[in-house]
Amino acid sequence: MKSLKSLFISGLISLAVATVVFALWLLVSSGNLASLALLLAAVPMLAFLGWLFLGKPARTSASLPWVFWPSMLGTLAVISLFLAGHACWLMTTLAVLNLAGVHLYIRWYSRYQQRPVVAKVGEMLPAVQFTNLENRPVTVADFAGSPVVMLFFRGNWCPLCLAQIREVAAAYQSLQEKGVRVALISPQSHAQSAELAKQFSVNFDYLRDDDNAAARALGILDAGGTPAGLEVLGYDSDTVMPTVLILDAQGRLVFQHLTDNYRIRPEPSLFIEVLEREGLI
């Protein structure tokens, strides 16, 4: 059964697109200027999503004021025009639904509930196992002798994840020279990770969390977190909450970044700062 969150984003996009099409039709067919206010209620969200995929940011602000406030102003304008008899009930309903969708996206969809710590700093991780691109098992013990940055990401479908990985790739040479390994871990297939590997000329460890077993053990599973419809592309409906763990050469946890908002990601400079602070590089 699909989770409400997995269906929400598809519904939000469909609503915004339908609203824009309707507003443009009104503008062209009748010259109704109230449709401009309706466009203001719907376009900011579509513009934001387009920016995620085309602008490729690795992170955004938490509250997205440039999305919320234009949508709010557009909705208030439509309501005022409706009360003045210049906008129909359908325009008003669509404007209110779009504003509600934006609010839910910012305050609910993007956020996670309070996340438990993966492990206490200074302790070993719970026993978890992954598989590499050759489908061979990999455990934390296989990284012994080198500090490792473990970056859990949702999959190739997530533009913010790919942007974050690009940032890490840009900083990878300095990490590699200092003996640090970087493991990219997701529940996606080996074939999908192999496609990702073709984009970077660095020696990441591409690992698969089979059936999200490690995510469950570590408490970072995002059940039903994959947007509806991506299963046809081979993605599982469950995914992982974006998480960064840094382990020392003995496999002990020295740092964990457990974001409560999937749009908020740490920068690679923070990894280097932690590694230096802990005397690992």
Side-chain angles (χ1 to χ4, degrees), residues 144-155:
S146 301
V148 57
V149 175
M150 306 178 76
L151 193 156
F152 291 81
F153 71 105
R154 302 195 294 170

Side-chain angles (χ1 to χ4, degrees), residues 48-253:
F48 168 71
L49 294 173
W51 174 63
L52 285 187
F53 284 93
L54 300 177
K56 301 177 180 179
R59 60 197 57 81
T60 74
S61 68
S63 59
L64 297 179
W66 64 272
V67 176
F68 178 77
W69 289 110
S71 296
M72 171 68 84
L73 291 174
T75 300
L76 291 176
V78 171
I79 292 173
S80 298
L81 290 167
F82 173 74
L83 295 175
H86 301 301
C88 66
W89 66 269
L90 180 56
M91 296 175 67
T92 307
T93 300
L94 287 173
V96 170
L97 287 176
N98 273 276
L99 178 61
V102 169
H103 178 76
L104 287 172
Y105 176 82
I106 295 171
R107 301 297 178 186
W108 170 68
Y109 179 81
S110 297
R111 297 179 181 274
Y112 301 115
Q113 298 298 322
Q114 185 175 1
R115 298 178 58 177
V117 297
V118 169
K120 292 183 179 179
V121 171
E123 293 184 352
M124 305 293 290
L125 289 185
V128 291
Q129 180 173 292
F130 314 101
T131 52
N132 62 18
L133 292 179
E134 291 74 41
N135 204 32
R136 294 172 182 163
V138 175
T139 66
V140 173
D142 292 306
F143 294 102
S146 301
V148 57
V149 175
M150 306 178 76
L151 193 156
F152 291 81
F153 71 105
R154 302 195 294 170
N156 292 358
W157 58 266
C158 173
L160 289 160
C161 295
L162 296 190
Q164 183 184 29
I165 292 170
R166 278 191 291 271
E167 284 187 339
V168 177
Y172 184 77
Q173 184 174 353
S174 63
L175 291 171
Q176 186 181 37
E177 290 173 350
K178 295 177 173 63
V180 180
R181 294 173 67 176
V182 177
L184 304 182
I185 306 165
S186 78
Q188 68 185 8
S189 69
H190 294 304
Q192 289 161 334
S193 291
E195 286 298 313
L196 178 63
K198 292 177 182 177
Q199 301 181 33
F200 305 103
S201 57
V202 294
N203 296 321
F204 288 138
D205 288 276
Y206 294 90
L207 304 178
R208 181 171 192 255
D209 181 9
D210 300 280
D211 299 318
N212 280 295
R216 286 186 176 86
L218 299 174
I220 59 175
L221 177 71
D222 186 10
T226 302
L230 289 179
E231 292 88 348
V232 299
L233 299 179
Y235 295 102
D236 192 84
S237 59
D238 295 336
T239 187
V240 64
M241 301 178 193
T243 302
V244 176
L245 306 178
I246 299 180
L247 310 181
D248 65 16
Q250 289 74 46
R252 290 187 293 264
L253 181 68

